[in-house]
Amino acid sequence: PTSIIDHHQTTTTKMNMKLLPSLTLSYFAVIGAGATAPNPAANARPQLSITIHDGNFTDIEGLDPTITWENSAVLNNDVALEYGIDLSARTTNLASLPRRIWGRASRAFTIPKYGQHTFALSSRLEMDVQSMDRIDFQIDGDDEDNDLKLRIIGSAPTEATHIRKARVAFLEFTKGWDNDGNRVTVNPRYHVDRNHGDVVLTYDADDTLIRVTASRDDQEVTIAQKLNDENMISPTIGSDGALTLAWDRKLGEDSSVRTTLNPNRSVDVEFRDAAWTANVNFPMDDKDMRGATVQMKRDIKF
């Protein structure tokens, strides 16, 4: 694969508690305890972000404002906790306000037996509040000393009686190492739902990055070449002959534009300028380009 606001933290927490099943209630009870723990991180001021996005600007219905609130805390045993909620800013129906809630717990472990070897483990839970029949989970492990990472993504039903139906949907490992100052990684991935596996190999040599993605049925190669401090080109060719060309140009410290050409399919342009992001898609029909769509987003944090 790689997301609520609040004017008053206590009020929103109580409102959402009434909407959650018993399994999630117990999980967020821990969050509440962490948020009131006597440490600086627990009392950190929440950060508010507002995102408005959609390609339809013909009327107010084309806008889809989302208010995001998130916070963090440090619990006992150095467990780092992050949690948040997304709210719809367009509805007045209290039951439809919350869209998504999430929480992540992380901790670093040290094993003295192996010479103070350290590895990190984190677990993230996420739920669609408007469809609370399941919880999505993501487990990440990071062994920095051995340059090894693990990720597991899946879901589980919220009903405790159905917990045996929990399933893993995606699994990947990433192993990296240095080769005469250049970076090499091997990343095997497996999509359980589609019974599809592939391997991603990368070789990063300063201004050149080579990426090979290979599965039993398809293969593709991307060669990204940095031309100068402002420009990079990245052609990609697949085993079926499909060709994609991307051009990244840095316009300033916080501004950039990425143009991707997919011959006979589309031209995509992404423009970033500080808090603004604009995406334009031009579908291509033979030699004609029509049906362009535009999406714009702005993040506001205060």
Side-chain angles (χ1 to χ4, degrees):
T2 115
S3 347
I4 289 170
I5 158 143
D6 209 344
H7 298 292
H8 301 288
Q9 177 179 343
T10 304
T11 304
T12 301
T13 303
K14 291 181 178 179
M15 177 186 71
N16 288 320
M17 289 298 185
K18 297 178 181 179
L19 299 173
L20 306 179
S22 57
L23 181 62
T24 310
L25 268 174
S26 61
Y27 177 76
F28 276 86
V30 177
I31 292 180
T36 57
N39 63 72
N43 297 319
R45 183 177 179 181
Q47 194 175 57
L48 173 67
S49 66
I50 300 175
T51 301
I52 300 177
H53 61 87
D54 203 307
N56 177 16
F57 296 98
T58 56
D59 52 40
I60 192 64
E61 294 299 321
L63 300 179
D64 185 18
T66 301
I67 304 174
T68 301
W69 174 85
E70 58 187 48
N71 201 1
S72 62
V74 178
L75 306 181
N76 295 331
N77 298 318
D78 295 325
V79 176
L81 189 66
E82 302 170 85
Y83 51 96
I85 183 171
D86 288 353
L87 300 175
S88 173
R90 193 171 62 180
T91 181
T92 57
N93 183 352
L94 290 180
S96 300
L97 276 175
R99 291 183 172 181
R100 184 175 61 93
I101 56 175
W102 63 272
R104 179 194 295 273
S106 307
R107 185 187 177 189
F109 299 86
T110 301
I111 307 177
K113 180 180 179 181
Y114 296 97
Q116 299 297 322
H117 185 79
T118 303
F119 67 94
L121 185 66
S122 69
S123 176
R124 175 187 172 102
L125 299 181
E126 181 177 317
M127 175 187 286
D128 181 349
V129 181
Q130 301 304 316
S131 179
M132 297 187 296
D133 57 340
R134 75 174 194 182
I135 293 179
D136 297 322
F137 63 83
Q138 176 178 310
I139 300 173
D140 291 284
D142 186 357
D143 184 349
E144 185 175 357
D145 293 339
N146 291 315
D147 206 344
L148 180 65
K149 294 181 180 181
L150 162 70
R151 171 166 293 179
I152 301 174
I153 298 175
S155 62
T158 54
E159 293 293 336
T161 56
H162 297 157
I163 195 63
R164 291 185 177 180
K165 295 182 179 180
R167 60 186 180 83
V168 172
F170 178 76
L171 174 67
E172 71 172 345
F173 294 90
T174 303
K175 169 64 179 175
W177 63 88
D178 292 328
N179 180 24
D180 293 333
N182 301 320
R183 174 75 173 166
V184 180
T185 63
V186 179
N187 175 209
R189 309 180 298 185
Y190 183 65
H191 296 265
V192 179
D193 292 342
R194 298 187 285 129
N195 191 26
H196 179 269
D198 62 11
V199 178
V200 180
L201 307 174
T202 65
Y203 181 80
D204 189 351
D206 295 329
D207 294 340
T208 304
L209 174 66
I210 302 174
R211 175 187 172 101
V212 179
T213 304
S215 68
R216 182 175 56 184
D217 302 318
D218 302 294
Q219 301 81 37
E220 70 174 24
V221 178
T222 299
I223 302 177
Q225 180 64 49
K226 185 177 179 181
L227 304 179
N228 49 44
D229 291 339
E230 291 79 30
N231 295 277
M232 175 180 286
I233 58 172
S234 307
T236 300
I237 185 169
S239 57
D240 59 353
L243 176 66
T244 298
L245 179 62
W247 173 31
D248 294 276
R249 177 170 176 79
K250 187 176 180 180
L251 304 177
E253 183 176 354
D254 297 321
S255 301
S256 64
V257 60
R258 179 180 178 88
T259 305
T260 304
L261 171 64
N262 302 286
N264 299 324
R265 288 179 291 169
S266 65
V267 175
D268 299 295
V269 180
E270 180 179 81
F271 175 73
R272 293 179 178 270
D273 183 17
W276 281 101
T277 302
N279 294 90
V280 184
N281 172 264
F282 300 94
M284 300 175 63
D285 182 13
D286 293 331
K287 297 182 180 180
D288 295 328
M289 301 176 62
R290 53 190 177 185
T293 60
V294 179
Q295 292 184 327
M296 299 184 66
K297 178 180 71 173
R298 176 175 173 81
D299 294 333
I300 307 173
K301 295 183 180 181
F302 55 89

